[in-house]
Amino acid sequence: MPKLNENYQNLKESYLFSEIAHRVGAYTAAHPDKEVIRLGIGDVTLPLGSMAIRGLHSGVDAMADPGTFKGYGPEQGYLFLRNAISGYYARNGVCVDPEDIFISDGAKSDTGNISELFDADNIILIPDPVYPVYVDSNLMSGKTITYMSGNAENQFLPMPDRHIHADIIYLCSPNNPTGAVYNKSQLKEWVDYALENEAVILFDSAYEAFICDPGLPRSIYAVEGAKKCAVEFCSLSKTAGFTGTRCGYTVVPRELKFKCSDGRELSLHAMWNRRQSTKFNGTSYIIQKGAKAVFSPEGMAQCQENIRYYQENARLIADTLARKNIPFFGGIHSPYIWFECPDGMESWQFFDYLLGHAQIVGTPGAGFGQNGRCYFRLTAFGSHENTKKAMERFEALF
Ligand SMILES: *Cc1c(COP(=O)(O)O)cnc(C)c1O
């Protein structure tokens, strides 16, 4: 009989989206005449831009010709894409060597898999609330997590506590679900803290393309010294609408070296390379051709156009909340708007209230951690028409 990894029993039931579907299903069955508007989706809705489609087609065509056919590619990704991503960083004022970039099928895999490189005996800081993958992937391998409180007082941007030592720090900026973004001096505090503690920062910047203030950092490498202490995860999912197409990238700088128990230095870059070469056979050539086209000037312009569409929805939601004097976070450099549930309601209670009284579906904050218990997330990934209609209903309700 196999002895099972019983750490899986420490995982909380992942019932957030199934419970939402269940409650919405029950509501629509009871009220078939009511039109329900979904503003809970954490997924893009606009189709890929024509440049990405053209890139994907060129990849498919290459597969049909014996002269250009591709079998297994490099596990780290094709250099043509790693170079294109390095160029994208450079246009945002950050220098990242293509050799330090690993192409993957998305940031969820990489943020989940990275914990394999670390021993269970580490002090691991994870913000609460946050994207649940960091918590669950660490629990699966029997690790202990120390939560950092994100709350209205710190604008949902936990800062380092100099009295506490940490070894591994997860940060997500712009944050899912709160939409909060660290500024450069705040990130510098984190980098300084990590360097002092010889800690590593695992920085998820999946929403960097939503940042519209050029003064805000879109990469942790905008901070000096970060290459000695930070890994960065990025994805084309929200940038280019690749949630179903699947492509991400992770930067593991060769400067990242840590002493192991026998005193020798180990390179995280070499370890990640070994991990990926052993367990991953690379992202599809076709997808990488599509991704490369995304980083062309026209490809980027098309992505920006879609992002602007979502940002307009976010503004509509934010303006409505502001008019109703409901304090909120996010909504500017992020597709997410995060606010405290009115009248002291808990998030599932407010979910039912909003569904029952305005037929709007959002996401209860409780799904993102203890600190989300009385908060709610709306997203900008709906259509203009539906977002506008939903906000008219919201306005009438409060
Ligand atoms: C959507 C999202 C990702 C991207 O995941 P993919 O696997 O690349 O689709 C990563 N991190 C956060 C916080 C996200 O919300």
Side-chain angles (χ1 to χ4, degrees):
M1 197 166 64
K3 288 198 182 65
L4 302 179
N5 179 354
E6 295 191 10
N7 294 316
Y8 274 62
Q9 288 178 296
N10 300 331
L11 300 168
K12 285 217 189 71
E13 198 72 48
S14 154
Y15 72 113
L16 178 64
F17 290 101
S18 58
E19 180 62 22
I20 290 175
H22 172 73
R23 292 191 189 202
V24 173
Y27 181 82
T28 49
H31 306 88
D33 53 317
K34 300 268 200 210
E35 185 205 16
V36 169
I37 299 177
R38 286 159 211 275
L39 294 186
I41 16 172
D43 193 357
V44 296
T45 49
L46 294 171
L48 300 185
S50 65
M51 287 305 292
I53 294 295
R54 208 189 295 176
L56 290 166
H57 277 299
S58 78
V60 172
D61 290 341
M63 289 301 191
D65 185 315
T68 51
F69 169 78
K70 297 283 185 295
Y72 288 126
E75 291 95 344
Q76 302 79 4
Y78 284 97
L79 207 51
F80 66 74
L81 180 55
R82 300 164 87 192
N83 283 333
I85 293 168
S86 174
Y88 176 61
Y89 270 111
R91 288 197 295 282
N92 288 324
V94 172
C95 175
V96 170
D97 192 314
E99 289 286 326
D100 290 342
I101 300 171
F102 293 82
I103 309 301
S104 73
D105 65 347
K108 187 187 212 175
S109 321
D110 286 2
T111 52
N113 291 331
I114 194 89
S115 90
E116 276 181 34
L117 304 191
F118 305 107
D119 189 81
D121 182 20
N122 271 303
I123 297 175
I124 304 171
L125 301 185
I126 300 184
D128 171 5
V130 88
Y131 184 56
V133 174
Y134 321 144
V135 169
D136 287 353
S137 57
N138 278 291
L139 291 180
M140 281 174 180
S141 50
K143 297 188 171 86
T144 307
I145 295 164
T146 305
Y147 292 96
M148 298 190 277
S149 177
N151 49 53
E153 216 167 298
N154 61 22
Q155 307 280 303
F156 289 95
L157 295 169
M159 293 303 296
D161 179 346
R162 306 243 161 219
H163 305 294
I164 294 175
H165 168 79
D167 302 300
I168 298 167
I169 302 145
Y170 285 81
L171 297 177
C172 178
S173 174
N175 185 277
N176 178 9
T178 70
V181 193
Y182 283 109
N183 66 30
K184 197 165 168 182
S185 76
Q186 290 169 322
L187 274 192
K188 183 175 184 314
E189 263 192 66
W190 272 116
V191 167
D192 291 344
Y193 170 85
L195 292 172
E196 277 162 34
N197 283 270
E198 296 182 273
V200 65
I201 295 173
L202 305 175
F203 190 77
D204 185 341
S205 87
Y207 295 93
E208 55 83 20
F210 281 79
I211 292 180
C212 32
D213 176 351
L216 288 171
R218 294 171 62 155
S219 161
I220 193 157
Y221 304 119
V223 177
E224 210 186 323
K227 284 188 185 154
K228 290 199 173 72
C229 66
V231 171
E232 179 160 286
F233 304 93
C234 239
S235 170
L236 276 76
S237 282
K238 316 306 174 359
T239 304
F242 266 48
T243 50
T245 310
R246 312 301 308 142
C247 190
Y249 51 96
T250 292
V251 180
V252 190
R254 276 158 297 174
E255 290 91 325
L256 271 180
K257 291 189 175 135
F258 297 97
K259 273 210 179 64
C260 59
S261 52
D262 66 7
R264 276 188 311 159
E265 272 199 332
L266 286 186
S267 150
L268 268 193
H269 177 96
M271 286 173 74
W272 184 247
N273 189 44
R274 185 60 205 264
R275 191 266 167 216
Q276 292 297 80
S277 315
T278 301
K279 297 195 182 182
F280 182 60
N281 249 337
T283 303
S284 150
Y285 172 75
I286 297 165
I287 301 298
Q288 292 191 63
K289 289 292 279 184
K292 178 182 180 241
V294 161
F295 292 104
S296 67
E298 306 97 295
M300 278 282 108
Q302 291 175 347
C303 291
Q304 274 309 316
E305 201 176 309
N306 285 2
I307 287 171
R308 267 197 302 276
Y309 180 93
Y310 298 133
Q311 279 167 335
E312 247 175 76
N313 289 340
R315 195 173 317 122
L316 205 68
I317 299 172
D319 287 350
T320 307
L321 291 174
R323 265 201 305 281
K324 291 288 159 183
N325 289 316
I326 300 173
F328 63 92
F329 300 87
I332 302 170
H333 309 291
S334 159
Y336 300 126
I337 293 96
W338 177 256
F339 58 97
E340 196 178 346
C341 303
D343 303 327
M345 278 188 253
E346 291 214 350
S347 63
W348 279 108
Q349 203 184 349
F350 183 65
F351 176 89
D352 291 334
Y353 179 81
L354 202 58
L355 177 61
H357 291 81
Q359 294 78 48
I360 299 170
V361 180
T363 314
F368 302 99
Q370 272 293 317
N371 282 8
R373 220 174 53 252
C374 294
Y375 280 83
F376 208 71
R377 190 189 77 175
L378 291 177
T379 85
F381 289 126
S383 66
H384 280 335
E385 195 196 352
N386 280 347
T387 308
K388 194 159 163 280
K389 208 186 288 177
M391 287 305 104
E392 282 161 8
R393 292 181 191 172
F394 196 96
E395 189 123 26
L397 189 59
F398 291 102

